[in-house]
Amino acid sequence: MQLWLIPILPLAGAAINGLTGRRTSKSLQSAVAIGSVLLSFLWVVKTLLGLGALEERYVEHYFTWIASGSLSIGVDFAVDRLTAVMLCVVTGIGTLIHIYATGYMHEEEGYYRFFSYLNLFMFFMLVLVLGANFLLLFVGWEGVGLCSYLLIGFYFQKRSATDAGKKAFIVNRIGDFGFSLAMFLIVVLFGSLDFGIVFEKAKALPVEASAGMITAICLLLLVGATGKSAQIPLYVWLPDAMEGPTPVSALIHAATMVTAGVYMCARSAALFMKAPIAMEAVAVIGLLTAVMAATIGLVQNDIKKVYAYSTVSQLGFMFLAVGCGAFGAGIYHVVTHAFFKALLFLGAGSVIHACHHEQDMRHMGGLRKKIPHTFNVLLIAALAIAGFPMMSGWWSKEDILGAAMHHHAWMYWAAWVTAGMTAFYVFRSIFLTFFGEYKGHAHPHESPWVMIGPLYVLAILSVVGGWLFRIPHLLEPVFKGIVPEGHSEHSMADMILGTAPGLIGIALAYVVYVASPGMADSIKSSFQGLYNLLLNKYYVDEAYDATIVHPIERSSRNFLWKVMDAGVIDNGIVHGFSGGAQNLGNLLRRMQGGEIRNYGAWVVIGAIFVLGAFTVLGGTK
């Protein structure tokens, strides 16, 4: 089936634009960038149609990469139904975002460089999804981290953007170190990194009643997932990543890269199901992240920051599902989230474009008549993420709430309240942006159709995607024999109860920001301390700076630099050896001065030295 063509096409697009972009037109650069991803999507469709029902995993082996003793790691690509779902999301949503980006980035400098990076990201993300072993997955994992760094810091002349890029890179390296350790333990325990071998051997092992080797592996994998998918304690990079261009926020930090941690945990279900302690850790971390990020999102004023914390919170819901053993529900939310969150970010980009790069919602308002198409699609996205009945987010949220209820009642009610907060802060952004009087200074204008067109496609998917793609049923063959079969049907009472928080959140947002607009200021003044705490994001960044960043900076500056580098290495070793060599050279230079009498003097001194040596040696005998 030539699976290698799926990632190689975007790689070719990245190479063509990267190497020739300075000498080609923007229209040609756009055609290369969009065409490479579109061809990849079409090849995915052709491949999946050719593979049929995919009841079994299909593998292609290309060559052996590492061979050491009994360990053999190949460059192998594999497709099963889980891979198929992710391939469709990455290439399908990726194509739409590439089209949108040609309009959004048209006036930006470095246009070819942007699309080269974006195509390169697509290559690495597809390698991550297609890889048939942990090491190849890790190659894609590291590659998307690199591209994230490049794209977040795309506006490299802007200090905040470069700082955000470095922050994302460093925080993700912490998580990736945990992933690396997990791979070493997998080799020790299973003697392989191949998914088929590892998971088949894992099925035969007993469930660990207490912490053991598999628990350690899963917890280390979770460390990697918390970095890539922005969970506690490594979530702090994602909100700052909004410094990058908005299409980057939509593709990398909403629809694809940040879901890699969820995908990796679902892919490793055979391991996690043997480690209930690790599963519980996944669920708890996911739920805490969902709650915390949702509370922060309640008070943010930057429209992209609201949706950034929404992404962190929704990723927490996905981890909650995975930790409860509902791997299919977690991936289901990955898919529906890709639809409505890409739409939210791209819609926000259309608002920012309309308002001439204004991102503060306090300087917006009344835009629904000025940019009606953008209002329509953003309203649909808001309804979907709020869990409005029959919208795409409603289906996956119901499955996650059902899984939480069967796991722990307290988890269900915490997730239930968080769902209400989600609806509230998303519709707060809608009401502040599109209702009331316009408070900005520019003259808003609707975005071009090259941007609006993809938004309407995503809006359609946000409406029908939930019932059109019933992912949990689709993925049953992937988790068969790994996850016990459960009942995904919900009673009418469960569905009404699960729908209630979204409707309540929408109603409260309407009351506070439309019906009684002064109520928001009254609430803020009544809870000023809590408001400041949330507005400053619980001071987590400040705490990290005080306890980790600044001590490392001080020790690096005062000890590693001034003492070790400058004192010991430079002045002690480097300058010491160079100074000694220089002094010796000066002495030898005087000896070879070209004057006969000096040569004679050295001959006499040498003769005296030799005679003295013979005398001493002769006396000792």
Side-chain angles (χ1 to χ4, degrees), residues 227-555:
K228 195 65 69 186
S229 294
Q231 299 293 286
I232 292 174
L234 301 179
Y235 71 93
V236 291
W237 67 270
L238 194 146
D240 288 4
M242 298 304 106
E243 291 289 341
T246 299
V248 173
S249 304
L251 180 61
I252 296 183
H253 306 126
T256 54
M257 186 192 90
V258 292
T259 62
V262 184
Y263 166 77
M264 183 265 289
C265 291
R267 174 62 69 198
S268 307
L271 295 174
F272 278 92
M273 289 302 293
K274 301 296 182 180
I277 294 175
M279 289 281 284
E280 196 69 17
V282 173
V284 170
I285 287 175
L287 183 58
L288 291 177
T289 304
V291 173
M292 186 187 69
T295 58
I296 295 174
L298 293 172
V299 300
Q300 297 301 305
N301 296 310
D302 184 316
I303 189 170
K304 286 180 67 176
K305 284 289 180 72
V306 173
Y307 299 152
Y309 279 104
S310 169
T311 299
V312 176
S313 183
Q314 295 301 304
L315 288 165
F317 272 97
M318 299 172 203
F319 275 88
L320 172 62
V322 168
C324 293
F327 297 96
I331 297 299
Y332 195 14
H333 204 56
V334 166
V335 175
T336 60
H337 179 264
F339 299 153
F340 60 69
K341 186 51 65 64
L343 181 55
L344 279 171
F345 269 116
L346 296 183
S350 183
V351 171
I352 295 167
H353 182 269
C355 297
H356 303 275
H357 303 289
E358 178 61 69
Q359 295 185 200
D360 193 326
M361 295 183 296
R362 293 171 296 183
H363 300 153
M364 298 178 186
L367 292 176
R368 71 182 187 277
K369 294 181 180 179
K370 300 178 184 295
I371 48 174
H373 293 297
T374 301
F375 169 69
N376 292 338
V377 296
L378 266 180
L379 179 61
I380 291 172
L383 290 169
I385 192 175
F388 194 81
M390 301 300 138
M391 303 291 282
S392 62
W394 178 81
W395 296 90
S396 54
K397 179 180 66 65
E398 287 294 311
D399 281 0
I400 293 174
L401 289 177
M405 174 61 83
H406 285 94
H407 195 67
H408 288 303
W410 70 269
M411 286 187 170
Y412 172 84
W413 288 110
W416 191 93
V417 172
T418 305
M421 288 191 288
T422 300
F424 180 86
Y425 65 67
V426 169
F427 270 87
R428 170 180 176 264
S429 71
I430 295 294
F431 295 140
L432 287 177
T433 302
F434 293 102
F435 287 72
E437 297 296 325
Y438 180 62
K439 307 175 190 68
H441 304 293
H443 297 287
H445 57 86
E446 187 62 272
S447 299
W449 274 101
V450 72
M451 295 169 61
I452 295 298
L455 296 184
Y456 272 109
V457 176
L458 288 169
I460 293 170
L461 290 171
S462 296
V463 174
V464 304
W467 62 264
L468 194 61
F469 308 106
R470 290 292 290 158
I471 302 300
H473 295 296
L474 183 67
L475 296 181
E476 285 176 357
V478 177
F479 302 116
K480 187 176 182 179
I482 298 174
V483 181
E485 293 186 12
H487 299 287
S488 59
E489 301 299 327
H490 306 293
S491 67
M492 183 60 68
D494 291 338
M495 295 170 68
I496 293 173
L497 184 60
T499 303
L503 299 179
I504 294 170
I506 295 171
L508 286 176
Y510 179 82
V511 170
V512 173
Y513 294 100
V514 179
S516 304
M519 186 181 294
D521 293 332
S522 176
I523 294 173
K524 183 173 72 173
S525 61
S526 299
F527 300 94
Q528 191 66 48
L530 178 60
Y531 175 82
N532 289 333
L533 180 66
L534 299 179
L535 188 64
N536 289 283
K537 301 159 287 187
Y538 294 104
Y539 299 98
V540 172
D541 282 306
E542 289 79 0
Y544 280 178
D545 286 342
T547 59
I548 299 174
V549 177
H550 293 161
I552 290 176
E553 286 181 344
R554 286 194 295 268
S555 63

Side-chain angles (χ1 to χ4, degrees), residues 10-11 13-19 29 33 98 110-122 147 150-151:
L11 180 62
I16 292 170
N17 273 336
L19 295 174
Q29 295 161 22
H98 274 71
Y111 186 84
Y112 76 92
R113 177 169 56 90
F114 173 81
F115 279 106
S116 180
Y117 292 164
L118 213 58
N119 278 176
L120 186 63
F121 165 80
M122 293 294 295
C147 295
L150 294 173
L151 287 162

Side-chain angles (χ1 to χ4, degrees), residues 3-19:
L3 297 179
W4 60 272
L5 275 174
I6 297 172
I8 211 69
L9 288 166
L11 180 62
I16 292 170
N17 273 336
L19 295 174

